[in-house]
Amino acid sequence: GAVVSQHPSRVICKSGTSVKIECRSLDFQATTMFWYRQFPKQSLMLMATSNEGSKATYEQGVEKDKFLINHASLTLSTLTVTSAHPEDSSFYICSARDSGRTTTYEQYFGPGTRLTVT
Amino acid sequence: AQRVTQPEKLLSVFKGAPVELKCNYSYSGSPELFWYVQYSRQRLQLLLRHISRESIKGFTADLNKGETSFHLKKPFAQEEDSAMYYCALSFPYGNNRLAFGKGNQVVVIP
């Protein structure tokens, strides 16, 4: 149980284009999902908190117009990297909290999406 | 601000030797603390959480509020323990976000 999937697993796009990454909770509902960015051999950096039915909450320094987040259902959040540039190349990871479990803040992680902008 | 410190980036130990990964946190309230592990080419997964007080794969971690620490320990390292280990803190406010330490890469030498 508690599986989170991401699609695509890797994507290559040209500079200036937009890329959408999906995060799905497969066997539980998630009113809250999180988007992270991970650079090689470094820790996870929280980018934003995705809230079902409302606006995402972005961390300081993360451009909300650059990284559009939509959480339209209890099992799906999307991250769209708009007008991508090579410096946006990174490993993007999502996680989700099980809405049915209120006694823990545990997050379940997706496998990540490798974005390469050429 | 909430902060998690893992001082050692790389830890090499021989198989059968004890391993201890240090984690200190700064938070004035009552956090929930976790250890997450990331094996090679796999996703991040939960190893331990302090509220469970359990031993997973031989690992234990005790929350010491006085020292604000949550060190991870295993008495006898195995080769399959080679991985990245992240200490993480979640706090009740702010959407229950997780703050991660920088991680420890553990290499168990056969």
Side-chain angles (χ1 to χ4, degrees):
Chain A
V3 178
V4 175
S5 70
Q6 281 184 243
H7 177 80
S9 57
R10 57 179 65 227
V11 57
I12 300 172
C13 71
K14 292 187 176 181
S15 187
T17 62
S18 295
V19 174
K20 180 185 286 188
I21 303 170
E22 293 185 347
C23 177
R24 292 181 186 272
S25 57
L26 299 186
D27 49 4
F28 64 97
Q29 294 184 331
T31 54
T32 306
M33 292 183 172
F34 303 87
W35 287 96
Y36 297 85
R37 190 169 174 176
Q38 186 178 34
F39 292 99
K41 299 189 184 298
Q42 295 191 31
S43 188
L44 286 79
M45 182 193 78
L46 179 65
M47 299 174 64
T49 303
S50 174
N51 304 297
E52 188 268 336
S54 65
K55 292 182 179 180
T57 305
Y58 290 82
E59 296 299 304
Q60 192 172 8
V62 178
E63 300 175 58
K64 59 181 67 176
D65 294 331
K66 172 78 171 174
F67 299 98
L68 299 179
I69 291 172
N70 184 277
H71 194 152
S73 79
L74 288 172
T75 59
L76 173 65
S77 174
T78 60
L79 169 70
T80 301
V81 182
T82 63
S83 187
H85 288 99
E87 56 265 30
D88 299 323
S89 299
S90 191
F91 196 55
Y92 292 88
I93 302 173
C94 76
S95 70
R97 284 197 61 228
D98 185 342
S99 304
R101 301 184 69 194
T102 58
T103 58
T104 176
Y105 302 139
E106 179 181 352
Q107 295 180 19
Y108 303 99
F109 285 82
T113 297
R114 172 75 60 193
L115 169 63
T116 303
V117 184
T118 61
Chain B
Q2 299 75 27
R3 191 165 54 196
V4 179
T5 304
Q6 291 179 251
E8 293 152 0
K9 183 70 175 175
L10 174 64
L11 188 69
S12 297
V13 297
F14 284 101
K15 178 182 174 181
V19 59
E20 180 178 15
L21 303 179
K22 297 189 185 298
C23 173
N24 287 89
Y25 66 92
S26 60
Y27 179 64
S28 57
S30 296
E32 187 173 4
L33 283 142
F34 305 87
W35 276 97
Y36 279 85
V37 60
Q38 188 172 29
Y39 300 104
S40 179
R41 301 183 185 280
Q42 294 188 29
R43 71 183 69 195
L44 208 64
Q45 57 186 281
L46 179 68
L47 179 63
L48 284 175
R49 52 174 166 249
H50 88 270
I51 60 173
S52 298
R53 293 179 164 271
E54 56 192 347
S55 173
I56 303 293
K57 299 183 179 182
F59 285 96
T60 58
D62 292 318
L63 177 61
N64 185 323
K65 291 188 177 181
E67 296 182 358
T68 59
S69 68
F70 189 55
H71 304 328
L72 183 70
K73 299 177 184 178
K74 183 170 182 176
F76 308 104
Q78 302 300 314
E79 290 180 64
E80 56 264 29
D81 295 328
S82 296
M84 281 292 296
Y85 292 81
Y86 294 96
C87 184
L89 173 156
S90 182
F91 41 98
Y93 307 106
N95 291 313
N96 306 317
R97 293 169 293 173
L98 279 176
F100 282 88
K102 292 188 175 182
N104 294 119
Q105 183 175 0
V106 173
V107 176
V108 180
I109 304 166

